[in-house]
Amino acid sequence: MLGRFLAGALAGLAGLGAALAQPYPSRPITVIVPFSAGGPTDAIARTLGERMRASLGQTVLVENVTGAGGTIGVARAAQAAPDGYTLSLGHLGTHVVNGAIYPLKFDLLNDFEPIALVASNPMMVVSKNDVPAKNLRELIEWLKANPGEVAAGTAGIGSGSHFSAVYLQKLTGVAFNFVPYRGTGPALQDLVAGQIDMIVDQASNSMAQVQGGKIRAYAVTADKRLSAAPDIPTSDEAGLPGFHISLWTALWAPKGTPRDVIAKLNAAVVDALADPTVGQRFVAAGLEIPPRQQQTPEALGAHHRAEIDKWWPIIKAANIKAE
Ligand code: MLT
């Protein structure tokens, strides 16, 4: 009896040893996207994941875990096993702003291992076509003339589209209502359908609809125009100096993920960002790829910390509540 038990235990241990000994990655990797499929963060995850598969030799799956401005998906990743098979793709909203708004049960800096900064893009102020405004000044006048009447789509409190809209309100003194979605993918569909009036959206999400004439753009929150949309003015040019937001997206792993695994994942991201097909797709959407020296885990760690130091006082002063 004891002999059979020991044999079983040894076989089990042997199996575990073999599994542990398998080179990483030995099975598909899941990237948790904290917003809906079809939106800007999801699009980045799928483009990146598809190319990382070539470097890693394993499929990179995207799992959309949505809600609460992205905090639910990020929490799921924070609690995942630190084995390199569950990753968190997020951005300035999910991994910085939300920390100043929500009573999070995890630490945005210390519960994650930085892998790499992936891309950034400005926000773009867009509206449905029948809004009676031809430029940003007229849009602000129209908003002032219709206080509390206008519906702005967001991806939930603390998301990029939400805190950027709050920032626009603070800078201009206008008041409009927020209509929360689980991502700006579905919000954009409702804007095109005229169900809502406007979004302060990631340029990469609205670009195609603007170029297709389905919605109207007023400005990008950058200090220079996008090469993919040279006809859209900057916020400075459009009469709202200082309305600057660069929404950066990055990849993290749970705290404790081994260094060699982080190094492999980082190398796969770097490969992907150097791939001309990925580059063309990102640039066409208005996404900027960080320079090579900013594609290291250390560079993301430093950038993340600096952005928290910059934005938390601003967000806390804006008194944004999580409910
Ligand atoms: C999305 O992917 O839906 C966006 O990143 C949401 C946002 O932050 O506005």
Side-chain angles (χ1 to χ4, degrees):
M1 178 60 183
L2 179 58
R4 242 183 304 133
F5 168 76
L6 284 176
L10 286 173
L13 279 175
L16 179 63
L20 286 175
Q22 283 187 321
Y24 173 86
S26 60
R27 55 189 166 87
I29 295 161
T30 297
V31 174
I32 296 182
V33 168
F35 297 109
S36 316
T41 311
D42 183 73
I44 292 172
R46 291 176 195 278
T47 301
L48 193 71
E50 185 49 37
R51 183 55 184 75
M52 287 175 74
R53 182 170 60 91
S55 307
L56 295 166
Q58 285 292 341
T59 303
V60 176
L61 305 166
V62 172
E63 185 183 353
N64 301 88
V65 181
T66 66
T71 58
I72 294 176
V74 177
R76 171 85 66 82
Q79 289 136 17
D83 56 10
Y85 290 102
T86 305
L87 308 177
S88 176
L89 190 80
H91 58 45
L92 172 58
T94 59
H95 283 67
V96 173
V97 172
N98 283 348
I101 296 174
Y102 293 87
L104 301 176
K105 292 194 176 47
F106 55 90
D107 183 304
L108 287 167
L109 270 175
N110 299 318
D111 286 334
F112 290 98
E113 303 286 354
I115 297 171
L117 198 56
V118 172
S120 62
N121 67 159
M123 306 305 282
M124 188 186 276
V125 181
V126 295
S127 81
K128 62 184 182 183
N129 281 334
D130 58 14
V131 162
K134 290 284 170 283
N135 56 48
L136 189 62
R137 282 192 181 84
E138 289 181 10
L139 178 71
I140 292 167
E141 285 319 307
W142 179 70
L143 290 168
K144 283 186 177 156
N146 296 279
E149 301 295 318
V150 174
T154 79
I157 293 174
S159 66
S161 47
H162 175 258
F163 82 81
S164 304
V166 171
Y167 199 15
L168 177 65
Q169 289 183 332
K170 298 284 178 197
L171 284 177
T172 60
V174 300
F176 47 76
N177 307 319
F178 295 122
V179 181
Y181 294 78
R182 287 179 172 268
T184 48
L188 183 61
Q189 286 167 4
D190 271 8
L191 185 69
V192 170
Q195 304 295 317
I196 56 174
D197 305 304
M198 63 180 288
I199 306 175
V200 183
D201 193 11
Q202 288 185 59
S204 60
N205 193 45
S206 282
M207 183 72 75
Q209 297 295 349
V210 170
Q211 288 169 337
K214 297 283 185 357
I215 58 174
R216 182 177 307 133
Y218 298 88
V220 290
T221 62
D223 50 18
K224 63 180 181 358
R225 295 189 180 205
L226 291 171
S227 57
D231 52 342
I232 303 174
T234 65
S235 47
D236 293 2
E237 292 167 332
L240 196 51
F243 185 38
H244 292 168
I245 299 170
S246 171
L247 197 117
W248 49 274
T249 295
L251 192 64
W252 290 264
K255 187 72 182 173
T257 302
R259 306 259 26 102
D260 62 326
V261 170
I262 297 290
K264 265 196 183 154
L265 289 164
N266 176 268
V269 173
V270 169
D271 277 358
L273 297 181
D275 183 304
T277 315
V278 171
Q280 279 147 22
R281 196 177 297 170
F282 276 14
V283 169
L287 288 161
E288 205 173 325
I289 291 177
R292 181 65 190 82
Q293 68 276 14
Q294 285 178 28
Q295 296 177 11
T296 65
E298 297 71 24
L300 173 57
H303 182 64
H304 192 187
R305 186 176 296 282
E307 288 280 276
I308 284 180
D309 295 344
K310 170 186 170 188
W311 281 101
W312 279 15
I314 297 171
I315 299 297
K316 289 180 177 169
N319 199 23
I320 302 175
K321 293 285 172 264
E323 70 280 340

